[in-house]
Amino acid sequence: MSNLSSFPPTAVGGLALGEPATWPDGLRAIGDLILASRFPMFLAIGHDLRLFYNDAYSDLLGDKHPAARGAPYASIRPELWERMRPYFELVLAGEATQLQHALMEFERNGKRERRFFCVSLSPVRHAGDVVGVYCVLTETTSDVLSEHRHAFHQKLGETLDGLDDAVHIMKATSAMTGQTLGVARVGYGEIDAACRTVSIDRDWTDGRMASLGGMSHPLAAFGPDIVAMLRQGRTVRIDDVGADGRSAGFVAAYAGIGARAVVIVPIIEDGRLAAVFYLHEPFARHWTEQETAMAEDVARHTREVVRRSRLEETVRAAALERDALLQSERAARVQAERLSRAKDEFLAMLAHELRNPLAPISSSASLLSMQFASEPRICQTSSIISRQVKHMSRLIDDLLDVSRVTRGLVKLKLATVDFREVVTGALDQTRPLVLEKAHQVAVELPDAPVLVRGDHTRLVQSVANIVNNAAKYTPKGGQLALALEALDGRMVLRVRDNGSGMPPDLVPSVFDLFTQGARTLARSQGGLGLGLTLVKRLVDLHEGEVAAHSDGVGFGSTFTLTLPCVTGACDGLDAQPGDLDAARATLRRKLKVLIVDDNSDAADSLATLLQVQGHATSVEYDAQSALRRARAERPDVMLIDIGLPDVDGYQLAQELRALPETATTVPVAVTGYGQARDRERALQAGFAHHLVKPVDMTALVRILESSAALAAAVEADATTPRPSSASESEEALAPA
């Protein structure tokens, strides 16, 4: 255990808990899981909810660590206690709960912070009694603020479009900014031509600070470094004026206006500092990058509108305004193209970074279910973790697929497909969610084949997304109905549900990107609003149509997918079950598996999982060490991460292919990069297979089975007697 393992003695029910090493098995297993995780986690144990947590959570505590170890939660987080108390009470009553994208305002290292988290709270039981709360936190601040920023921009645009008076514009944007970001005071200050004073006409406050309206102050009083940055057009962000070297010597000036933390955005006109847009807090506060960016957006947009409103008084002003708008449009187009490229690169990296931590979580969950098969609670927890890992993997795939489809990068593998098989495949994919929600599914398929020209995989994905959407928005025990028919040269698939339905204003935009039904605080349906967008884009590529209909909220929904039919036979080769049976009947033996991954959690957890399955595993964390071990031990299979610290996995695979010692080794790429070009590059580099993190254990088992068959065949071939001469070979091959 880490240095967080210390835990002051405390009474939990009939137990006297001391060091975690002495805890009962169930509690100790949870404690070990918490300490091994990189996600913020804690246990709140006993009547006082005393804290036991890991390194990741200690980062959130800041200077409250290590005193928080074993202390009651309410004493460590008094600012959050009243908000969290009902949820803790619910969990202590035996019911798990979740908070999605919850705003948490807390103190850390003497500064106020506003951050968003997804919070999972589960009861911890011992001897049948709930003895505490197990909490897992996932920070979503960046995602939430990005959504807020997008929504704020829309609202800001709508607000500014309806205003033409400069005073009203600045008043409205100051109030919107303050309310959105939870800031005490927001306003604009005009700078005189000599850049010596700042004057405030009026500003907005939430009541915690007095207004500065009608006041003027010398700029120099706030520090020459601050003034210099503003004149250069650079935003000033100060979390604590007393601790920042640029403002520490001028604390009195900031105290005179009651400000302890500030963001000041310069507004440059005609090459000079003309005004500032400011955010003030009476206490130290940690400003995030997103908050600063939003302030800069407001300043830029507002100042443009204000300037336009003033210039519209004359014909010359109108001409200048049109020119400015054209320039702004061109710049926006260039910026949009740049951001689009940056977005694509970001999405690929995001998928890789998200898949990396999912890999050890998935492996650990599988290992728990195998090693604790007789422990229902642990098996249930393992099952929950596995389902959520798969769900997150699907979200990542949807995110990348939407990006690729919208850029026209998806290439269909067209063949003649029986759409009845598409429906069957989609139902197989959606079965876990349908079973989880206890839905009844009625399927009507014609007796004759319904042939279309399309990409079987993408068509299954489209139908599965429609069925998943229906299952997700239908209360438990609902009814889903799928009906397929061929009419006048076209096939029609209808997917009906008796779920929540849709309001009339949502139906026209249901296939738009990021569109969902009404989002409650609980976010019980979840998702990113990508699934139906993918359906629409993929069906369009197949020259088909997809439509949605609902009679209103509470009356269910119907989705209709239409494609042109074709005549002919289905493409593809028939499966050869005999070959598969023969492969499975091939001599199997324990495989030597070498795992190469610089993520120690991922490597070690996968190694342990394969050991439990009977394989001999070893682990290396860099390419050169892996190369030395491969030459010495000649493993049957190597599972290789692409992003290694010394050389990448592609180069390692090429070097392995060139070595005689590893000629029969099967190299498998195991990586967070999962796009089509990543798979192609892996195969070109010499990998035999390409698996995306978190590893699909079914796919990995198939690879290991085929590798075992190959190894057995090589061994059998090596022990088969060889003819001593060419003539003997010819005689052996001659017909009887």
Side-chain angles (χ1 to χ4, degrees):
M1 291 193 177
S2 73
N3 63 341
L4 294 178
S5 60
S6 299
F7 189 77
T10 185
V12 176
L15 294 173
L17 294 183
E19 291 294 322
T22 67
W23 290 4
D25 290 346
L27 289 178
R28 190 167 69 250
I30 297 175
D32 290 343
L33 179 65
I34 289 174
L35 295 179
S37 176
R38 296 184 179 181
F39 290 93
M41 296 183 181
F42 67 78
L43 281 178
I45 295 291
H47 176 73
D48 294 331
L49 296 175
R50 296 184 177 272
L51 288 174
F52 174 84
Y53 52 87
N54 61 6
D55 289 328
Y57 189 73
S58 71
D59 290 340
L60 295 177
L61 291 172
D63 55 6
K64 294 185 178 182
H65 169 73
R69 290 192 297 230
Y73 177 90
S75 68
I76 298 301
R77 289 294 192 209
E79 67 273 26
L80 296 178
W81 175 238
E82 289 305 317
R83 164 118 190 245
M84 296 301 297
R85 183 207 298 264
Y87 300 102
F88 277 91
E89 291 175 349
L90 184 65
V91 175
L92 291 173
E95 184 174 345
T97 188
Q98 289 186 335
L99 289 77
Q100 296 291 336
H101 306 303
L103 173 61
M104 301 291 183
E105 298 187 67
F106 56 90
E107 298 289 329
R108 185 172 75 146
N109 299 327
K111 297 178 183 178
R112 174 175 171 246
E113 294 194 27
R114 287 166 47 91
R115 294 163 74 170
F116 294 83
F117 295 88
C118 289
V119 184
S120 173
L121 298 167
S122 305
V124 177
R125 292 180 170 86
H126 176 72
D129 296 324
V130 176
V131 298
V133 177
Y134 169 50
C135 179
V136 181
L137 299 100
T138 304
E139 184 167 0
T140 59
T141 302
S142 180
D143 293 340
V144 172
L145 289 182
S146 294
E147 289 186 7
H148 285 182
R149 187 179 179 188
H150 177 71
F152 182 85
H153 283 179
Q154 289 185 320
K155 185 177 179 182
L156 178 65
E158 294 169 358
T159 301
L160 297 183
D161 284 344
L163 299 174
D164 57 6
D165 179 80
V167 172
H168 290 160
I169 290 170
M170 290 187 284
K171 180 179 178 182
T173 55
S174 297
M176 285 176 58
T177 305
Q179 292 165 355
T180 301
L181 298 182
V183 180
R185 184 168 61 205
V186 181
Y188 292 83
E190 297 286 339
I191 309 298
D192 68 327
C195 199
R196 293 178 179 173
T197 62
V198 54
S199 302
I200 296 93
D201 179 42
R202 65 185 67 190
D203 56 16
W204 175 92
T205 77
D206 67 355
R208 290 183 292 142
M209 299 182 75
S211 171
L212 299 179
M215 298 183 182
S216 295
H217 300 274
L219 275 177
F222 299 99
D225 292 341
I226 305 297
V227 177
M229 288 183 64
L230 296 174
R231 296 183 70 169
Q232 294 167 13
R234 298 162 58 193
T235 298
V236 174
R237 181 177 70 184
I238 301 177
D239 292 350
D240 186 346
V241 296
D244 193 302
R246 298 167 297 177
S247 56
F250 306 87
V251 172
Y254 293 93
I257 59 174
R260 179 77 178 274
V262 300
V263 172
I264 310 172
V265 182
I267 299 172
I268 306 296
E269 290 184 0
D270 299 326
R272 76 171 187 89
L273 179 62
V276 293
F277 177 65
Y278 59 83
L279 314 180
H280 289 170
E281 278 287 318
F283 307 106
R285 168 172 173 166
H286 173 66
W287 303 102
T288 66
E289 294 289 344
Q290 293 93 337
E291 290 169 339
T292 306
M294 191 177 294
E296 292 172 336
D297 291 344
V298 172
R300 181 173 61 254
H301 292 170
T302 304
R303 196 61 180 185
E304 178 63 22
V305 175
V306 169
R307 187 167 69 91
R308 189 171 67 229
S309 70
R310 291 172 176 171
L311 293 178
E312 285 177 343
E313 297 175 0
T314 64
V315 175
R316 177 180 173 81
L320 290 174
E321 177 192 349
R322 287 194 298 272
D323 181 62
L325 288 174
L326 288 174
Q327 292 180 7
S328 175
E329 181 182 352
R330 285 194 293 269
R333 188 180 302 113
V334 173
Q335 177 74 349
E337 293 172 354
R338 185 187 69 80
L339 290 176
S340 180
R341 290 192 299 270
K343 177 206 68 176
D344 296 333
E345 295 171 359
F346 168 75
L347 286 178
M349 184 56 65
L350 175 65
H352 175 263
E353 293 303 317
L354 288 177
R355 284 186 173 119
N356 267 334
L358 287 180
I361 295 174
S362 178
S363 298
S364 299
S366 299
L367 186 60
L368 280 175
S369 66
M370 296 171 65
Q371 292 188 324
F372 296 94
S374 61
E375 293 286 343
R377 285 175 294 174
I378 295 180
C379 288
Q380 181 186 18
T381 300
S382 172
S383 177
I384 292 171
I385 295 172
S386 297
R387 285 200 302 272
Q388 296 306 315
V389 166
K390 291 178 181 177
H391 176 61
M392 190 167 183
S393 297
R394 286 195 298 270
L395 292 180
I396 295 170
D397 291 339
D398 280 353
L399 193 63
L400 290 175
D401 275 347
V402 165
S403 174
R404 295 179 67 238
V405 170
T406 55
R407 290 182 291 145
L409 298 181
V410 169
K411 303 299 181 184
L412 299 180
K413 298 178 181 178
L414 296 177
T416 301
V417 178
D418 186 349
F419 208 83
R420 297 178 303 172
E421 297 178 0
V422 171
V423 174
T424 303
L427 290 174
D428 286 341
Q429 286 192 13
T430 57
R431 183 172 289 108
L433 178 59
V434 171
L435 291 177
E436 179 185 344
K437 302 202 72 174
H439 293 325
Q440 295 181 357
V441 182
V443 183
E444 296 181 15
L445 299 178
D447 295 331
V450 180
L451 302 181
V452 299
R453 191 70 177 168
D455 185 319
H456 182 273
T457 300
R458 291 301 187 179
L459 290 175
V460 170
Q461 180 183 13
S462 300
V463 176
N465 280 356
I466 293 175
V467 176
N468 265 328
N469 186 77
K472 185 165 56 175
Y473 288 98
T474 299
K476 280 194 173 183
Q479 296 178 347
L480 310 182
L482 286 77
L484 175 66
E485 59 180 340
L487 295 170
D488 301 326
R490 298 182 73 79
M491 58 125 286
V492 179
L493 174 69
R494 292 182 176 86
V495 180
R496 298 186 180 92
D497 65 68
N498 64 343
S500 58
M502 294 179 283
D505 60 335
L506 178 62
V507 174
S509 60
V510 72
F511 295 104
D512 293 346
L513 196 60
F514 304 123
T515 297
Q516 286 183 310
R519 300 186 181 193
T520 63
L521 182 62
R523 285 298 306 276
S524 58
Q525 283 79 28
L528 298 174
L530 301 175
L532 293 181
T533 300
L534 263 178
V535 173
K536 180 68 168 63
R537 302 296 173 87
L538 292 174
V539 171
D540 286 346
L541 289 177
H542 284 84
E543 299 181 354
E545 299 175 357
V546 63
H549 172 76
S550 176
D551 290 330
V553 176
F555 292 95
S557 302
T558 300
F559 285 81
T560 305
L561 191 157
T562 306
L563 291 174
C565 290
V566 298
T567 57
C570 293
D571 296 343
L573 299 175
D574 293 335
Q576 302 295 328
D579 295 342
L580 181 60
D581 293 339
R584 293 186 180 276
T586 303
L587 173 64
R588 297 175 184 175
R589 65 168 177 80
K590 180 168 65 175
L591 291 174
K592 292 188 293 183
V593 182
L594 174 56
I595 300 169
V596 189
D597 195 331
D598 62 330
N599 185 325
S600 59
D601 284 346
D604 296 343
S605 59
L606 182 57
T608 304
L609 182 57
L610 294 180
Q611 285 174 0
V612 172
Q613 294 178 352
H615 299 293
T617 63
S618 54
V619 175
E620 293 294 347
Y621 306 108
D622 61 79
Q624 294 305 318
S625 300
L627 200 59
R628 288 192 295 269
R629 180 175 287 229
R631 297 182 68 174
E633 299 182 359
R634 303 189 179 194
D636 299 304
V637 178
M638 290 181 66
L639 306 179
I640 303 171
D641 183 35
I642 296 300
L644 297 173
D646 41 5
V647 299
D648 62 40
Y650 301 122
Q651 183 175 340
L652 176 57
Q654 292 170 347
E655 294 184 19
L656 289 170
R657 286 299 193 193
L659 293 174
E661 295 92 339
T662 55
T664 61
T665 297
V666 179
V668 180
V670 180
T671 174
Y673 297 106
Q675 299 190 57
R677 65 173 182 269
D678 301 316
R679 175 181 174 83
E680 293 170 3
R681 185 178 178 188
L683 297 179
Q684 290 171 359
F687 283 104
H689 306 279
H690 178 272
L691 296 177
V692 178
K693 295 179 179 179
V695 172
D696 182 342
M697 290 307 299
T698 302
L700 180 55
V701 167
R702 290 197 190 102
I703 292 172
L704 294 178
E705 284 182 349
S706 66
S707 300
L710 176 62
V714 171
E715 291 176 355
D717 185 60
T719 58
T720 300
R722 300 290 183 181
S724 59
S725 67
S727 61
E728 291 178 4
S729 298
E730 293 171 359
E731 291 175 2
L733 295 173

